[in-house]
Amino acid sequence: MIERWTRGALVAIGLCAVPAPGIAQDEIDGAPVRMSLQVTSDPSTIACRRLETVDPASLVFLPLRRTFSEDFDEHPLSNGRWVPHYAGGAAWPEARYWGGDGSDFKRKTSANGEQQIYVDPRYAGRASAPLGLDPFRVKDGVLSIVASRTPPELKPLLFDNEYISGILTTQGTFAQKHGYFEIRAKVPVGHAVWPAFWMLADDGGWPPEVDVLEGRGERPGDLVMTTHWRIPSTQKIQSCGFDFAVGDASSAFHNYGVLWQEDRLIYFIDRNPVSDIKVPIGFDDPMYMIVNLAIGSKFFPGVSPVDAESPRSVAFEIDRISAYQIDREEQARR
């Protein structure tokens, strides 16, 4: 979600229907403490590929143990796991995150052409006291990140952004090198709607970036999973990813995940491997997770600038977010 479409070309994009869920999915509707994930095991010599047909002989079951689990049974800001803004590499005084001129820098990515500002109850914008705006709703174990048009009277206080919305990150609270990262969610649609679940390096650098899930709001059922990295010799940004068709993505919960191994990244939909890539250079540091609902874009296909067709309100519904580490002891016993 950070300047990804302005530097370097996105390659190998195409739409592919996702196969029906396979066997041994280990409680696909939950986040078990331990599970086995069916993964590709052939040598990762291909730089980036879609796994349209997977040779069964190349699949093995990888044991995993849970390291992070959020079922959203309470408000996401009540447990200290989530931060409602970007932190990035800048060392700001704590107060700067909660308001004042320039604070919007940590609450949107302007280079993408985004037209929302990420708020939370403590955020004051240009006001002298918190505005009490809360884009997060929890009901029956489901978190909704709600984006809505900015009330006209608040626009001057919120840097004239067209929408208010929400972001949650685990920077400073949870980061992990290698392992499996997953969201179970419904993907919202609508003109200018841009939901995402993604990861950045905990050291604040960019790239690397792993986009586990991005929705193209104007193309219902069209989801994209992408890897971004930098070529050291040229400093150019390279990207590789694929679009996948999940016809009921906006009305039904599905699992979207990525397995980060030492030699490859494997992307999953409902715990079926759908694409993989040899791990590019620069994936050296632990990564933290981000989930957000952006509105408006200059460069991301399927997400246009805000206009009269854009919804007054739209919600990104999230049932859970979890992370796993490879269980080396169990793997050695097999």
Side-chain angles (χ1 to χ4, degrees):
M1 296 287 289
I2 297 182
E3 300 180 69
R4 65 185 64 160
W5 308 109
T6 60
R7 307 180 187 177
L10 182 67
V11 298
I13 287 292
L15 189 64
C16 177
V18 177
I23 60 171
Q25 294 304 300
D26 283 354
E27 300 177 43
I28 197 165
D29 291 333
V33 174
R34 295 180 183 273
M35 70 173 182
S36 292
L37 193 66
Q38 202 169 31
V39 302
T40 54
S41 63
D42 49 321
S44 58
T45 55
I46 300 174
C48 186
R49 62 180 178 173
R50 188 199 324 261
L51 302 172
E52 293 177 318
T53 57
V54 181
D55 181 0
S58 73
L59 295 175
V60 297
F61 284 98
L62 186 69
L64 303 168
R65 55 178 176 82
R66 197 177 67 198
T67 53
F68 180 96
S69 180
E70 177 63 82
D71 291 323
F72 297 110
D73 293 323
E74 59 183 351
H75 193 283
L77 301 183
S78 66
N79 57 26
R81 287 180 173 174
W82 300 98
V83 178
H85 53 73
Y86 292 111
W92 277 16
E94 176 71 9
R96 285 294 302 280
Y97 292 111
W98 307 113
D101 284 344
S103 62
D104 59 329
F105 173 68
K106 295 296 185 183
R107 291 178 174 270
K108 67 182 298 182
T109 304
S110 299
N112 286 337
E114 296 173 17
Q115 294 174 269
Q116 86 295 322
I117 184 168
Y118 297 127
V119 297
D120 66 86
R122 289 182 60 187
Y123 186 58
R126 286 190 171 121
S128 58
L131 297 172
L133 299 170
D134 192 350
F136 308 113
R137 310 280 188 273
V138 174
K139 182 179 180 181
D140 299 329
V142 174
L143 167 70
S144 293
I145 300 178
V146 180
S148 55
R149 288 192 180 262
T150 307
E153 67 274 15
L154 295 183
K155 270 194 172 184
L157 300 177
L158 293 171
F159 308 94
D160 295 315
N161 286 285
E162 294 292 331
Y163 279 76
I164 56 176
S165 188
I167 187 172
L168 296 171
T169 91
T170 63
Q171 187 174 22
T173 66
F174 176 84
Q176 181 173 288
K177 184 173 183 178
H178 303 141
Y180 181 62
F181 306 82
E182 184 180 78
I183 186 172
R184 175 173 159 81
K186 294 180 183 178
V187 183
V189 297
H191 190 85
V193 175
W194 188 5
F197 174 61
W198 48 301
M199 305 193 306
L200 290 175
D202 202 44
D203 67 356
W206 181 85
E209 177 180 333
V210 174
D211 296 326
V212 185
L213 164 70
E214 292 182 281
R216 304 187 189 274
E218 293 150 31
R219 303 177 185 176
D222 183 358
L223 312 171
V224 62
M225 300 171 141
T226 312
T227 309
H228 305 269
W229 68 99
R230 187 188 304 275
I231 303 297
S233 59
T234 63
Q235 292 300 297
K236 289 184 178 180
I237 306 302
Q238 297 294 312
S239 303
C240 188
F242 300 96
D243 281 53
F244 298 96
V246 181
D248 63 349
S250 64
S251 60
F253 286 104
H254 290 274
N255 293 323
Y256 305 95
V258 65
L259 176 67
W260 176 17
Q261 297 176 290
E262 291 184 7
D263 63 339
R264 80 181 73 198
L265 291 159
I266 308 173
Y267 291 87
F268 294 81
I269 298 178
D270 288 332
R271 299 181 186 160
N272 287 287
V274 295
S275 69
D276 69 1
I277 180 173
K278 183 178 180 180
V279 173
I281 193 168
F283 281 69
D284 303 315
D285 295 302
M287 302 189 88
Y288 65 94
M289 299 180 289
I290 306 166
V291 61
N292 65 284
L293 179 53
I295 301 291
S297 171
K298 293 178 184 177
F299 311 109
F300 189 62
V303 178
S304 304
V306 169
D307 66 11
E309 296 182 13
S310 301
R312 293 193 59 81
S313 179
V314 63
F316 186 9
E317 295 180 72
I318 302 150
D319 181 42
R320 61 173 172 76
I321 292 175
S322 50
Y324 291 79
Q325 191 54 273
I326 299 169
D327 192 332
R328 299 298 184 187
E329 292 184 2
E330 177 64 23
Q331 189 179 32
R333 287 195 290 266
R334 294 188 174 188

